[in-house]
């Protein structure tokens, strides 16, 4: 598996976290905090009693802030290397996706969900608009 050039892709890796294999871990080298979504912990079967409540705010690169729900220490492993990592637990920003029972695919640039008639509906992304937005964001920095 090689890297296809040129590209401007985020780095996604697979890691062991706790007793689970997490297949899509976004590596953000510009971040000073290790985030994990509450939904991910729920899917991993992590007991909420292991989390410590927190009301600290996290500020993103765009200046917006989000309040952490809690923190949790979990073992992270890649091959035979293990570390205990303190994660900041946040909620997802996409409750409407779950309420619509939607599936998203950045690769296919679409979102699919069941329509009122029971048929699967597809919303297609605007790849050119996304690229333009990325360029505009980079130019502002």
């Amino acid at each position: 598996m090689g890297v296809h050039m040129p590209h401007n892709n985020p780095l996604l890796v697979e890691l062991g976290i706790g007793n689970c294999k997490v297949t899509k871990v976004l590596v953000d080298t510009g971040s000073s905090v290790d985030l994990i979504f509450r939904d991910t912990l729920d899917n991993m079967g992590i007991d909420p009693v292991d989390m410590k409540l927190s009301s600290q705010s996290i500020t993103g690169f765009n200046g917006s802030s989000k309040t952490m729900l809690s923190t949790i220490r979990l073992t992270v492993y890649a091959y035979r290397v293990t570390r205990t990592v303190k994660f900041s637990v946040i909620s997802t920003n996409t409750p409407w996706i779950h309420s619509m029972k939607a599936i998203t695919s950045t690769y296919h640039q679409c979102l699919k969900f069941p329509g009122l008639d029971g048929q699967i509906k597809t919303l297609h992304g605007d790849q050119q608009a996304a690229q333009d937005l990325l360029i505009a964001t980079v130019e502002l920095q």
Side-chain angles (χ1 to χ4, degrees):
M1 172 164 70
V3 177
H4 300 283
M5 298 296 194
H7 76 83
N8 188 21
N9 303 328
L11 175 59
L12 289 175
V13 297
E14 180 179 292
L15 286 176
I17 301 178
N19 294 323
C20 298
K21 179 169 68 171
V22 181
T23 58
K24 291 183 179 77
V25 177
L26 175 64
V27 177
D28 181 357
T29 58
S31 179
S32 60
V33 65
D34 295 308
L35 299 176
I36 194 164
F37 292 114
R38 174 61 195 261
D39 290 352
T40 302
L41 293 174
D42 292 343
N43 290 337
M44 292 170 64
I46 302 293
D47 191 339
V49 77
D50 295 331
M51 299 177 215
K52 294 184 179 178
L53 292 178
S54 175
S55 60
Q56 289 183 313
S57 291
I58 300 170
T59 302
F61 74 94
N62 62 355
S64 66
S65 64
K66 187 160 187 72
T67 302
M68 292 185 330
L69 301 174
S70 58
T71 61
I72 188 167
R73 291 185 182 279
L74 296 170
T75 302
V76 174
Y77 51 95
Y79 295 99
R80 291 188 177 138
V81 178
T82 62
R83 297 288 184 269
T84 299
V85 176
K86 181 179 179 182
F87 287 96
S88 297
V89 182
I90 60 172
S91 64
T92 60
N93 284 330
T94 56
W96 69 274
I97 290 176
H98 295 282
S99 71
M100 290 182 64
K101 300 178 183 171
I103 303 292
T104 61
S105 173
T106 56
Y107 179 82
H108 294 101
Q109 291 288 294
C110 69
L111 180 139
K112 293 189 175 209
F113 60 96
L116 296 177
D117 60 0
Q119 299 294 313
I120 300 298
K121 307 298 181 188
T122 304
L123 289 176
H124 294 279
D126 185 337
Q127 195 171 17
Q128 184 61 52
Q131 290 171 353
D132 293 344
L133 180 61
L134 175 63
I135 290 168
T137 301
V138 169
E139 288 174 352
L140 288 174
Q141 293 180 0

Coordinates of all heavy atoms in Angstrom, one line a residue, residues 40-119:
T40 N -18.1 6.9 20.4 CA -17.1 5.9 20.2 C -16.9 5.1 21.5 O -16.8 3.8 21.4 CB -15.8 6.6 19.8 OG1 -16.0 7.3 18.6 CG2 -14.7 5.5 19.6
L41 N -16.9 5.8 22.6 CA -16.7 5.0 23.9 C -17.9 4.1 24.1 O -17.8 3.0 24.6 CB -16.6 6.0 25.1 CG -15.3 6.8 25.1 CD1 -15.3 7.9 26.2 CD2 -14.1 5.9 25.2
D42 N -19.1 4.6 23.8 CA -20.3 3.8 24.0 C -20.2 2.5 23.1 O -20.5 1.4 23.5 CB -21.6 4.6 23.6 CG -21.9 5.7 24.6 OD1 -21.3 5.6 25.7 OD2 -22.7 6.6 24.3
N43 N -19.8 2.7 21.8 CA -19.6 1.6 20.9 C -18.5 0.6 21.4 O -18.6 -0.6 21.0 CB -19.3 2.1 19.5 CG -20.5 2.8 18.8 OD1 -21.6 2.5 19.2 ND2 -20.2 3.6 17.9
M44 N -17.6 1.1 22.1 CA -16.5 0.3 22.6 C -16.9 -0.4 23.9 O -16.2 -1.3 24.4 CB -15.2 1.1 22.9 CG -14.6 1.7 21.7 SD -13.3 3.0 22.1 CE -12.1 2.0 23.0
G45 N -18.1 -0.1 24.4 CA -18.5 -0.7 25.7 C -17.8 -0.2 26.9 O -17.8 -0.9 27.9
I46 N -17.3 1.0 26.8 CA -16.6 1.6 28.0 C -17.7 2.0 29.0 O -18.6 2.7 28.7 CB -15.8 2.8 27.6 CG1 -14.7 2.4 26.5 CG2 -15.1 3.5 28.8 CD1 -13.6 1.5 27.0
D47 N -17.5 1.6 30.3 CA -18.4 1.9 31.4 C -18.2 3.4 31.7 O -17.1 3.9 32.0 CB -18.0 1.1 32.6 CG -19.1 1.2 33.7 OD1 -19.9 2.1 33.7 OD2 -19.1 0.2 34.5
P48 N -19.3 4.2 31.7 CA -19.3 5.6 32.0 C -18.7 5.9 33.4 O -18.2 7.0 33.7 CB -20.7 6.1 31.9 CG -21.4 5.1 31.1 CD -20.7 3.8 31.3
V49 N -18.7 4.9 34.3 CA -18.2 5.1 35.6 C -16.7 5.3 35.6 O -16.1 5.9 36.5 CB -18.6 4.0 36.6 CG1 -17.7 2.7 36.3 CG2 -18.5 4.4 38.0
D50 N -16.0 4.9 34.5 CA -14.6 5.1 34.3 C -14.2 6.5 33.9 O -13.0 6.9 33.8 CB -14.0 4.1 33.3 CG -14.1 2.6 33.8 OD1 -14.1 2.4 35.0 OD2 -14.3 1.7 33.0
M51 N -15.2 7.3 33.5 CA -15.0 8.7 33.0 C -15.1 9.6 34.2 O -15.9 9.5 35.1 CB -16.0 9.1 32.0 CG -16.0 8.2 30.8 SD -17.3 8.7 29.6 CE -17.7 7.1 29.0
K52 N -14.2 10.7 34.2 CA -14.2 11.7 35.2 C -14.9 13.0 34.6 O -14.4 13.5 33.5 CB -12.8 12.0 35.7 CG -12.2 10.9 36.4 CD -10.9 11.3 37.0 CE -10.3 10.1 37.8 NZ -9.0 10.4 38.3
L53 N -15.9 13.5 35.2 CA -16.6 14.6 34.7 C -15.7 15.8 34.6 O -14.8 16.0 35.4 CB -17.8 15.0 35.6 CG -19.0 14.0 35.6 CD1 -20.1 14.4 36.5 CD2 -19.6 13.8 34.2
S54 N -15.9 16.6 33.5 CA -15.1 17.8 33.3 C -16.0 18.9 32.7 O -17.0 18.6 32.0 CB -14.0 17.5 32.4 OG -13.3 18.7 32.0
S55 N -15.7 20.1 33.0 CA -16.4 21.2 32.3 C -15.4 22.2 31.7 O -15.7 23.3 31.4 CB -17.2 22.0 33.4 OG -16.3 22.5 34.4
Q56 N -14.2 21.7 31.4 CA -13.2 22.5 30.7 C -13.7 22.7 29.2 O -14.3 21.9 28.6 CB -11.9 21.8 30.7 CG -11.2 21.8 32.0 CD -9.8 21.2 31.9 OE1 -9.6 20.2 31.3 NE2 -8.8 21.9 32.5
S57 N -13.2 23.8 28.6 CA -13.5 24.1 27.2 C -12.3 23.8 26.4 O -11.2 24.0 26.8 CB -13.9 25.6 27.1 OG -15.2 25.8 27.7
I58 N -12.6 23.4 25.2 CA -11.5 23.1 24.2 C -11.8 24.1 23.1 O -12.9 24.2 22.6 CB -11.6 21.7 23.7 CG1 -11.4 20.7 24.8 CG2 -10.6 21.5 22.6 CD1 -11.7 19.3 24.4
T59 N -10.7 24.8 22.6 CA -10.9 25.8 21.5 C -10.2 25.2 20.3 O -9.1 24.7 20.3 CB -10.2 27.1 21.9 OG1 -10.7 27.6 23.1 CG2 -10.3 28.1 20.8
G60 N -11.0 25.2 19.2 CA -10.6 24.6 17.9 C -9.7 25.6 17.1 O -9.6 26.8 17.5
F61 N -9.2 25.1 16.0 CA -8.3 26.0 15.2 C -9.1 27.2 14.6 O -8.5 28.2 14.3 CB -7.7 25.2 14.1 CG -8.6 24.8 12.9 CD1 -8.7 25.6 11.8 CD2 -9.4 23.7 13.0 CE1 -9.6 25.3 10.8 CE2 -10.3 23.4 12.0 CZ -10.4 24.2 10.9
N62 N -10.4 27.0 14.5 CA -11.2 28.1 13.9 C -11.7 29.1 15.0 O -12.5 30.0 14.7 CB -12.4 27.6 13.1 CG -13.3 26.8 14.0 OD1 -13.1 26.6 15.2 ND2 -14.4 26.3 13.4
G63 N -11.3 28.9 16.2 CA -11.7 29.8 17.3 C -12.9 29.4 18.1 O -13.3 29.9 19.1
S64 N -13.7 28.4 17.5 CA -14.9 27.9 18.2 C -14.5 27.1 19.4 O -13.4 26.4 19.5 CB -15.8 27.1 17.3 OG -15.1 25.9 16.9
S65 N -15.3 27.1 20.4 CA -15.0 26.3 21.6 C -16.1 25.2 21.9 O -17.2 25.4 21.5 CB -14.8 27.2 22.9 OG -16.0 27.8 23.2
K66 N -15.7 24.2 22.6 CA -16.6 23.1 22.9 C -16.3 22.7 24.3 O -15.1 22.6 24.7 CB -16.4 22.0 21.9 CG -17.4 20.8 22.1 CD -17.4 20.0 20.8 CE -18.5 19.0 20.8 NZ -19.8 19.5 20.7
T67 N -17.3 22.4 25.1 CA -17.1 21.9 26.5 C -16.9 20.4 26.5 O -17.7 19.7 25.9 CB -18.3 22.3 27.4 OG1 -18.5 23.7 27.3 CG2 -18.1 21.9 28.8
M68 N -15.9 20.0 27.2 CA -15.7 18.5 27.3 C -16.7 18.0 28.2 O -17.2 18.6 29.2 CB -14.3 18.3 28.0 CG -13.1 18.6 27.1 SD -11.5 18.2 27.8 CE -11.7 18.3 29.6
L69 N -17.1 16.7 28.0 CA -18.1 16.0 28.8 C -17.3 15.4 30.0 O -17.8 15.4 31.1 CB -18.8 14.9 28.1 CG -19.6 15.3 26.8 CD1 -20.1 14.1 26.1 CD2 -20.7 16.3 27.3
S70 N -16.1 14.8 29.7 CA -15.4 14.1 30.7 C -14.0 13.9 30.2 O -13.6 14.2 29.1 CB -16.1 12.8 31.1 OG -16.2 12.0 30.0
T71 N -13.2 13.2 31.0 CA -11.9 12.7 30.6 C -11.8 11.2 31.0 O -12.6 10.7 31.9 CB -10.7 13.4 31.3 OG1 -10.8 13.2 32.7 CG2 -10.7 14.9 30.9
I72 N -11.0 10.5 30.3 CA -10.8 9.0 30.6 C -9.4 8.6 30.1 O -8.9 9.1 29.2 CB -11.9 8.2 29.9 CG1 -11.8 6.7 30.3 CG2 -11.7 8.3 28.3 CD1 -13.0 5.9 29.9
R73 N -8.8 7.8 30.9 CA -7.5 7.2 30.6 C -7.7 5.8 30.0 O -8.3 5.0 30.6 CB -6.6 7.1 31.8 CG -6.2 8.5 32.4 CD -5.2 8.4 33.5 NE -4.9 9.7 34.0 CZ -4.0 10.5 33.5 NH1 -3.3 10.1 32.4 NH2 -3.7 11.7 34.0
L74 N -7.1 5.6 28.8 CA -7.2 4.4 28.1 C -5.9 3.9 27.6 O -5.0 4.8 27.3 CB -8.2 4.5 26.9 CG -9.6 4.8 27.3 CD1 -10.4 5.1 26.0 CD2 -10.3 3.6 28.0
T75 N -5.6 2.6 27.5 CA -4.4 2.1 26.9 C -4.5 2.2 25.4 O -5.5 1.7 24.8 CB -4.2 0.7 27.4 OG1 -4.1 0.7 28.8 CG2 -2.9 0.2 26.8
V76 N -3.5 2.7 24.8 CA -3.4 2.8 23.3 C -2.3 2.0 22.9 O -1.2 2.0 23.5 CB -3.2 4.3 22.8 CG1 -3.0 4.3 21.3 CG2 -4.4 5.1 23.2
Y77 N -2.5 1.1 21.9 CA -1.4 0.3 21.4 C -1.3 0.2 19.9 O -2.3 0.2 19.2 CB -1.4 -1.1 22.1 CG -2.8 -1.8 21.9 CD1 -3.0 -2.7 20.9 CD2 -3.8 -1.6 22.9 CE1 -4.3 -3.3 20.8 CE2 -5.0 -2.2 22.7 CZ -5.2 -3.1 21.7 OH -6.5 -3.7 21.6
A78 N -0.1 0.1 19.4 CA 0.2 0.0 18.0 C 1.4 -1.0 18.0 O 2.5 -0.8 18.5 CB 0.6 1.3 17.4
Y79 N 1.1 -2.2 17.3 CA 2.1 -3.3 17.4 C 2.3 -3.6 18.9 O 1.4 -3.9 19.6 CB 3.4 -3.0 16.6 CG 3.1 -2.8 15.1 CD1 2.9 -1.6 14.5 CD2 2.9 -4.0 14.3 CE1 2.6 -1.4 13.2 CE2 2.6 -3.8 13.0 CZ 2.5 -2.6 12.4 OH 2.2 -2.5 11.1
R80 N 3.5 -3.6 19.3 CA 3.8 -3.9 20.7 C 4.0 -2.7 21.6 O 4.3 -2.9 22.8 CB 5.0 -4.9 20.9 CG 4.7 -6.2 20.3 CD 5.9 -7.2 20.6 NE 5.6 -8.5 20.1 CZ 6.5 -9.2 19.5 NH1 7.7 -8.8 19.3 NH2 6.1 -10.4 19.0
V81 N 3.9 -1.5 21.1 CA 4.1 -0.3 21.8 C 2.8 0.1 22.5 O 1.8 0.2 21.8 CB 4.6 0.8 20.9 CG1 4.8 2.1 21.7 CG2 5.9 0.4 20.3
T82 N 2.8 0.3 23.8 CA 1.6 0.7 24.5 C 1.9 2.0 25.3 O 2.9 2.2 25.8 CB 1.1 -0.4 25.5 OG1 2.1 -0.6 26.5 CG2 0.8 -1.7 24.8
R83 N 0.8 2.8 25.4 CA 0.9 4.0 26.2 C -0.5 4.2 26.8 O -1.5 3.8 26.3 CB 1.2 5.3 25.3 CG 2.5 5.3 24.6 CD 3.6 5.5 25.6 NE 4.9 5.6 25.0 CZ 5.7 4.6 24.7 NH1 5.4 3.4 25.1 NH2 6.9 4.8 24.2
T84 N -0.5 4.8 28.0 CA -1.8 5.2 28.6 C -2.0 6.7 28.3 O -1.1 7.5 28.5 CB -1.7 5.1 30.2 OG1 -1.5 3.7 30.5 CG2 -3.0 5.5 30.8
V85 N -3.1 6.9 27.7 CA -3.5 8.2 27.1 C -4.7 8.8 27.8 O -5.7 8.1 28.0 CB -3.7 8.2 25.6 CG1 -4.1 9.5 25.0 CG2 -2.5 7.6 24.9
K86 N -4.6 10.1 28.2 CA -5.7 10.7 28.8 C -6.5 11.4 27.7 O -6.0 12.3 27.0 CB -5.3 11.8 29.8 CG -6.5 12.5 30.5 CD -5.9 13.5 31.5 CE -7.1 14.3 32.2 NZ -6.6 15.3 33.1
F87 N -7.7 10.9 27.4 CA -8.6 11.5 26.4 C -9.6 12.5 26.9 O -10.1 12.3 28.0 CB -9.4 10.3 25.7 CG -8.5 9.5 24.8 CD1 -8.0 8.3 25.3 CD2 -8.3 9.8 23.5 CE1 -7.3 7.4 24.5 CE2 -7.5 9.0 22.7 CZ -7.0 7.8 23.1
S88 N -9.8 13.5 26.2 CA -10.9 14.4 26.5 C -12.1 13.9 25.7 O -12.1 13.7 24.5 CB -10.6 15.8 26.0 OG -9.5 16.3 26.7
V89 N -13.2 13.7 26.4 CA -14.4 13.1 25.8 C -15.4 14.3 25.4 O -15.7 15.1 26.2 CB -15.2 12.2 26.8 CG1 -16.4 11.6 26.1 CG2 -14.2 11.1 27.3
I90 N -15.8 14.2 24.1 CA -16.7 15.3 23.6 C -17.9 14.6 22.9 O -17.8 13.4 22.6 CB -16.0 16.3 22.7 CG1 -15.4 15.5 21.4 CG2 -14.9 17.0 23.4 CD1 -14.9 16.5 20.4
S91 N -19.0 15.3 22.8 CA -20.1 14.8 22.1 C -19.9 15.0 20.6 O -19.1 15.8 20.2 CB -21.4 15.4 22.5 OG -21.4 16.8 22.2
T92 N -20.6 14.3 19.8 CA -20.5 14.5 18.3 C -21.3 15.7 17.9 O -22.2 16.1 18.6 CB -21.0 13.3 17.6 OG1 -22.4 13.1 17.9 CG2 -20.2 12.0 17.8
N93 N -20.9 16.3 16.8 CA -21.6 17.5 16.3 C -22.7 17.1 15.3 O -23.2 17.9 14.6 CB -20.6 18.4 15.7 CG -19.9 19.2 16.8 OD1 -20.4 19.4 17.8 ND2 -18.7 19.6 16.4
T94 N -23.0 15.8 15.1 CA -23.8 15.4 14.0 C -25.1 14.6 14.5 O -25.4 13.6 13.9 CB -23.0 14.5 13.0 OG1 -22.5 13.4 13.8 CG2 -21.9 15.3 12.3
P95 N -25.8 15.1 15.5 CA -27.0 14.4 15.9 C -28.0 14.2 14.8 O -28.8 13.2 14.8 CB -27.5 15.2 17.1 CG -27.0 16.5 16.9 CD -25.7 16.4 16.2
W96 N -28.1 15.1 13.9 CA -29.1 15.0 12.8 C -28.8 13.8 11.9 O -29.7 13.2 11.4 CB -29.2 16.3 12.0 CG -28.0 16.6 11.2 CD1 -26.8 17.3 11.6 CD2 -27.7 16.3 9.8 NE1 -25.9 17.3 10.5 CE2 -26.5 16.7 9.4 CE3 -28.5 15.6 8.9 CZ2 -25.9 16.6 8.2 CZ3 -28.0 15.4 7.6 CH2 -26.7 15.9 7.2
I97 N -27.5 13.5 11.7 CA -27.1 12.3 10.9 C -27.7 11.1 11.6 O -28.3 10.2 10.9 CB -25.6 12.2 10.7 CG1 -25.1 13.4 9.8 CG2 -25.2 10.9 10.1 CD1 -23.6 13.4 9.6
H98 N -27.5 10.9 12.9 CA -28.0 9.8 13.6 C -29.6 9.8 13.6 O -30.2 8.7 13.4 CB -27.5 9.7 15.0 CG -26.0 9.5 15.1 ND1 -25.4 8.3 14.9 CD2 -25.0 10.4 15.3 CE1 -24.1 8.4 15.0 NE2 -23.9 9.7 15.2
S99 N -30.2 10.9 13.7 CA -31.7 10.9 13.8 C -32.2 10.6 12.4 O -33.4 10.1 12.3 CB -32.2 12.3 14.2 OG -31.9 13.3 13.2
M100 N -31.5 10.8 11.3 CA -32.0 10.5 10.0 C -31.6 9.1 9.6 O -31.9 8.6 8.5 CB -31.4 11.5 8.9 CG -32.0 12.8 9.1 SD -31.4 14.0 7.8 CE -32.0 13.2 6.3
K101 N -30.8 8.4 10.5 CA -30.3 7.0 10.2 C -29.5 7.0 8.9 O -29.5 6.1 8.1 CB -31.4 6.0 10.1 CG -32.3 5.9 11.4 CD -33.4 5.0 11.2 CE -34.2 5.0 12.5 NZ -35.5 4.2 12.4
A102 N -28.6 8.1 8.8 CA -27.9 8.3 7.6 C -26.5 7.6 7.7 O -25.9 7.4 8.7 CB -27.7 9.8 7.3
I103 N -26.0 7.3 6.5 CA -24.6 6.8 6.3 C -23.9 7.8 5.5 O -24.4 8.2 4.4 CB -24.6 5.4 5.6 CG1 -25.5 4.4 6.4 CG2 -23.2 4.9 5.4 CD1 -24.9 4.0 7.7
T104 N -22.7 8.2 5.9 CA -21.9 9.2 5.1 C -20.7 8.5 4.5 O -20.1 7.5 5.1 CB -21.4 10.4 6.0 OG1 -20.6 9.9 7.0 CG2 -22.6 11.1 6.6
S105 N -20.2 9.0 3.4 CA -19.0 8.5 2.7 C -18.3 9.6 2.1 O -18.8 10.2 1.1 CB -19.3 7.4 1.7 OG -18.1 7.1 1.0
T106 N -17.1 10.0 2.7 CA -16.3 11.1 2.1 C -15.7 10.6 0.8 O -15.6 11.3 -0.2 CB -15.2 11.6 3.0 OG1 -14.4 10.5 3.4 CG2 -15.8 12.3 4.2
Y107 N -15.4 9.3 0.7 CA -14.8 8.7 -0.5 C -15.8 8.9 -1.7 O -15.4 9.3 -2.8 CB -14.4 7.3 -0.3 CG -13.9 6.6 -1.6 CD1 -12.5 6.8 -1.9 CD2 -14.7 5.9 -2.4 CE1 -12.0 6.2 -3.0 CE2 -14.1 5.3 -3.6 CZ -12.8 5.5 -3.9 OH -12.3 4.9 -5.0
H108 N -17.0 8.5 -1.4 CA -18.1 8.6 -2.5 C -18.7 10.0 -2.5 O -19.6 10.2 -3.4 CB -19.1 7.5 -2.3 CG -18.6 6.1 -2.5 ND1 -18.3 5.4 -1.4 CD2 -18.3 5.4 -3.6 CE1 -17.8 4.2 -1.8 NE2 -17.8 4.2 -3.1
Q109 N -18.4 10.9 -1.6 CA -18.9 12.2 -1.5 C -20.5 12.2 -1.5 O -21.1 12.9 -2.3 CB -18.4 13.1 -2.7 CG -16.9 13.4 -2.6 CD -16.6 14.4 -1.5 OE1 -17.1 15.5 -1.6 NE2 -15.9 14.0 -0.5
C110 N -21.0 11.4 -0.6 CA -22.5 11.4 -0.5 C -22.9 11.0 0.9 O -22.1 10.5 1.7 CB -23.1 10.4 -1.5 SG -22.7 8.7 -1.2
L111 N -24.2 11.1 1.1 CA -24.9 10.8 2.4 C -26.1 10.0 2.0 O -26.9 10.5 1.1 CB -25.2 12.0 3.2 CG -25.9 11.9 4.5 CD1 -25.3 12.9 5.5 CD2 -27.4 12.2 4.4
K112 N -26.4 8.9 2.5 CA -27.6 8.1 2.2 C -28.4 7.9 3.4 O -27.9 7.7 4.5 CB -27.2 6.7 1.6 CG -26.5 6.8 0.3 CD -26.3 5.5 -0.4 CE -25.8 5.7 -1.8 NZ -26.1 4.7 -2.7
F113 N -29.7 7.9 3.3 CA -30.7 7.8 4.4 C -32.0 7.3 3.8 O -32.3 7.4 2.7 CB -30.8 9.1 5.1 CG -31.4 10.2 4.2 CD1 -32.7 10.5 4.2 CD2 -30.5 10.9 3.4 CE1 -33.2 11.5 3.4 CE2 -31.0 11.9 2.6 CZ -32.4 12.2 2.6
P114 N -32.8 6.6 4.7 CA -34.1 6.1 4.3 C -35.1 7.3 4.2 O -35.2 8.1 5.1 CB -34.5 5.2 5.4 CG -33.7 5.5 6.6 CD -32.5 6.2 6.1
G115 N -35.8 7.4 3.0 CA -36.8 8.4 2.8 C -38.1 8.1 3.4 O -38.3 6.9 3.9
L116 N -39.0 9.0 3.4 CA -40.3 8.7 4.0 C -41.1 7.6 3.3 O -41.9 6.9 3.9 CB -41.2 10.0 4.0 CG -40.7 11.2 4.8 CD1 -41.5 12.4 4.6 CD2 -40.6 10.8 6.3
D117 N -40.7 7.4 2.0 CA -41.4 6.3 1.2 C -40.7 5.0 1.4 O -41.0 4.0 0.8 CB -41.4 6.7 -0.2 CG -40.0 6.9 -0.8 OD1 -39.0 6.8 -0.1 OD2 -39.9 7.2 -2.0
G118 N -39.6 4.9 2.3 CA -38.9 3.7 2.6 C -37.8 3.4 1.6 O -37.0 2.5 1.8
Q119 N -37.7 4.2 0.6 CA -36.6 4.1 -0.4 C -35.3 4.8 0.1 O -35.4 5.9 0.8 CB -37.0 4.7 -1.8 CG -38.2 4.0 -2.4 CD -37.9 2.5 -2.7 OE1 -36.8 2.2 -3.3 NE2 -38.8 1.6 -2.3

